[in-house]
Amino acid sequence: MRDQTPPAFDASQARSDILGAEYVGEGTNFALFSDHATKVELCLFDETGQEELHRLTLPDMEGGVWFGYLPDILPGQVYGYRVHGPYEPENGHRFNPNKLLLDPYARELRGEIIWDDALHGYTIGEDDLSFDTRDSAPFMPKGVVVDSRFDWDTERALRTPWTDTVIYEAHVKGMTQAHPDVPEELRGTFRGLVSEPIISHLQKIGVTTVELLPIHAYANDRYLVEKDLSNYWGYSTLSFFAPHAPYLKTGQIREVKEAIRRFHKAGIEVILDVVFNHTCEGSELGQTLSFRGIDNASYYLLSDDKRHSFDTTGTGNTLNVAHPMVLRMVMDSLRYWVQSMHVDGFRFDLASTLGRETEGFERDGSFFNAIRQDPVLSGIKLIAEPWDVGDGGYQVGGYRWPFREWNDQFRDDTRAFWRRDPGMLGAISERLSGSPVQFNHSHRPATSSVNFVAAHDGFTLWDTVSYNDKHNDANGEDNRDGHGHNLSDNMGSEGPTEDAAIDTARLRRVRGMLATVFLSQGVPMILAGDELGNSQDGNNNAYCQDNAISWLDWDAARADVRDAVAALAAFRTETGLASTRFASTAEDAIEGHPVSRWLHPRGEAMQEGDWSDGEQRALGLLLEPVSGGEVLIVMNAGDDTEFALPEGEWCLRIDTARDEVACSEIISGTLPLGWQSVAALTRVVPSSGAH
């Protein structure tokens, strides 16, 4: 450290109620929660983050919050912490002041993790009861004090209704890295993500909401780096407040704000995929980067033997969200991203972990109740991934309003129906109806189900029709990783083909699955690239592939798939197809609810025996939306057939058997229904003549 006069704390301006490094007035307030620490040192670094200039003991502590105010410490100051306390792994305590620790509330980071054994609190090569004395600061990223001021141009949140929402799950880098029209210097960054070619594409296909894979700062796990791979998806969080620095061209958080402002001006909302169930520090044998060294026993769930982590996530640790100060950190992070960064909502990774209390998953757990009563968070878009790997973790349909949920049953049943599995009519009718068995309870709306057939985890949509088996060899695990439950069908050839008949069949099935997503009640979500016919070469676990396997191949984009998505999104909007209320039957019509009727290809109402006919692969849904009119949706997963239409004239709006999927042909009587296709029609209302 340089021989300089250290700055002095001003107790008169210090605050314990504002956690993190908050630039206030002409200085910065520093506050860190650690219930079991005996001393906390604030370390100030030069602007590069390489040289430690001062090491100052935070002078005050209240309720486990250590704090102090330093005048003249301005935005741009680089800092970290060293926390003193008992090193008693058998009691859950792993304090080691030799390890520089990242502030959990840091808004911006300087530097990156350089993997070295010094990052561990114990001595590598010995057990975790040993104590390592090496300084980890040279290998650690540091926090940066920021100025949060930004000109939002008095913008207001878009608040797109759930009934009008079309979600597009995307990766900041993967979306732009191989786009020929995005300036090369902007590819892989937020600035590239909101460049004109990307915005224009999203608007053309009817996207209202972009759901971004994790953008919180995350670690590239050591074992991946040593295999020349990376944690591409980002589900290994290091900081819940700071964005991932490689996505920023300048390294400054204002780039994220600029991107969100640009999306909003284009009428597109932004949802963040957030990972509050675990961190990148791994099990008790993992590294000490932040939470473990600050207060392991408070920030993490521990086993009965407190030396060991309690893991419900499959990552080595579980964040202890039931602890009031850890819960506060999570809530502070969510409010920060809404109020300061203007995001429109969140998708919670492994959300069941966030509801784990002493008796297991609790739908009324402290985390969920905290959000439901919060005046800021209860009004934004909230989506749960409703499962984890622990006992009782699968909870599809088990959440309360205002949460929506990823519905993997929609994915599986849709894939099985279009794969021509027998006996799927009942299941697909449930999915078209918004999955009422799962969601029509506890006053939940018909928009509770987020419907998808492909997401980042698993095959892309095109790969579900191109591969029977996963091909994950590039991941370096001898193809053992990734699940085998793909419900896929290569339709005659494994992988790419030059057989025109197979290619046509694949296109038909892809259009059929996309039509199912857009024509069902609930909220449609598509994976970025599925509208292009994008492939990952059969890799269904591309989490570590920061390369052409995962990047969207814009040069190989299929216009026929893209146009189908655009037509389906437009039809959904124009017909007012989506409803907040579940449909009733004509016999038990409820005022203010849509009315639905299920039709056999004969044109008659479906009978009990029809539903159990394992060989029947076509059915129709006649729907009367609340907004008026009638919509007829006809699905045929089988061979060419005919469908007897209800009386009157019908306008054929969608026919996925045709290359030109949007049309306006007037028909009556019988509809010729092509193999593996969907048709959507609206009733023609005779115009009243002049009198």
Side-chain angles (χ1 to χ4, degrees), residues 11-245:
S12 68
Q13 298 192 63
R15 296 179 60 175
S16 62
D17 60 317
I18 304 176
L19 292 170
E22 191 78 14
Y23 175 59
V24 183
E26 298 179 350
T28 299
N29 190 82
F30 294 89
L32 180 77
F33 169 74
S34 179
D35 203 30
H36 298 97
T38 57
K39 182 172 77 170
V40 174
E41 292 178 307
L42 170 67
C43 303
L44 302 180
F45 289 80
D46 70 353
E47 63 180 11
T48 69
Q50 298 301 307
E51 183 178 359
E52 187 175 338
L53 304 177
H54 302 291
R55 193 176 298 185
L56 311 170
T57 299
L58 289 179
D60 293 305
M61 190 273 284
E62 296 178 0
V65 176
W66 303 77
F67 64 104
Y69 178 88
L70 283 177
D72 301 322
I73 297 297
L74 306 177
Q77 176 64 57
V78 182
Y79 72 101
Y81 289 108
R82 299 180 188 272
V83 182
H84 298 251
Y87 190 79
E88 301 171 354
E90 65 277 9
N91 293 319
H93 301 309
R94 296 180 177 273
F95 295 98
N96 186 338
N98 299 295
K99 309 305 167 185
L100 188 79
L101 305 172
L102 182 67
D103 178 8
Y105 280 72
R107 264 60 165 181
E108 190 175 293
L109 303 188
R110 184 70 47 83
E112 60 183 5
I113 296 173
I114 301 172
W115 291 114
D116 189 272
D117 290 350
L119 293 171
H120 291 259
Y122 66 96
T123 303
I124 295 293
E126 302 179 23
D127 65 29
D128 63 298
L129 298 178
S130 61
F131 185 81
D132 190 272
T133 59
R134 287 172 291 183
D135 183 10
S136 67
F139 313 104
M140 275 292 296
K142 286 84 177 177
V144 181
V145 178
V146 302
D147 186 346
S148 60
R149 290 174 296 183
F150 183 77
D151 181 9
W152 285 102
D153 296 336
T154 66
E155 72 153 34
R156 295 183 180 180
L158 296 176
R159 305 288 185 189
T160 302
W162 281 108
T163 50
D164 299 338
T165 297
V166 175
I167 298 174
Y168 186 86
E169 190 196 25
H171 187 283
V172 172
K173 184 173 185 179
M175 185 76 179
T176 61
Q177 189 65 27
H179 199 300
D181 297 327
V182 173
E184 188 171 353
E185 68 275 11
L186 300 183
R187 295 175 189 173
T189 70
F190 274 98
R191 289 184 174 175
L193 188 65
V194 292
S195 60
E196 181 56 34
I198 301 298
I199 294 291
S200 176
H201 173 74
L202 295 174
Q203 290 175 326
K204 285 178 181 177
I205 62 173
V207 169
T208 70
T209 307
V210 169
E211 181 180 304
L212 296 176
L213 267 69
I215 68 163
H216 287 167
Y218 61 84
N220 278 318
D221 302 280
R222 186 173 187 173
Y223 80 95
L224 290 174
V225 172
E226 291 174 350
K227 294 196 299 182
D228 292 325
L229 298 171
S230 69
N231 198 322
Y232 173 70
W233 285 348
Y235 290 94
S236 190
T237 307
L238 173 65
S239 170
F240 297 118
F241 290 81
H244 191 53

Side-chain angles (χ1 to χ4, degrees), residues 371-392:
I371 284 186
R372 293 182 71 203
Q373 63 78 42
D374 190 281
V376 174
L377 302 177
S378 60
I380 62 172
K381 284 185 164 66
L382 302 168
I383 302 172
E385 182 186 36
W387 51 75
D388 64 19
V389 300
D391 290 340

Side-chain angles (χ1 to χ4, degrees), residues 37 41 91 106 187 244 255 263 344 352 441 490:
E41 292 178 307
N91 293 319
R187 295 175 189 173
H244 191 53
E255 291 183 44
F263 269 131
D344 303 281
S352 292
H441 60 81
N490 68 21

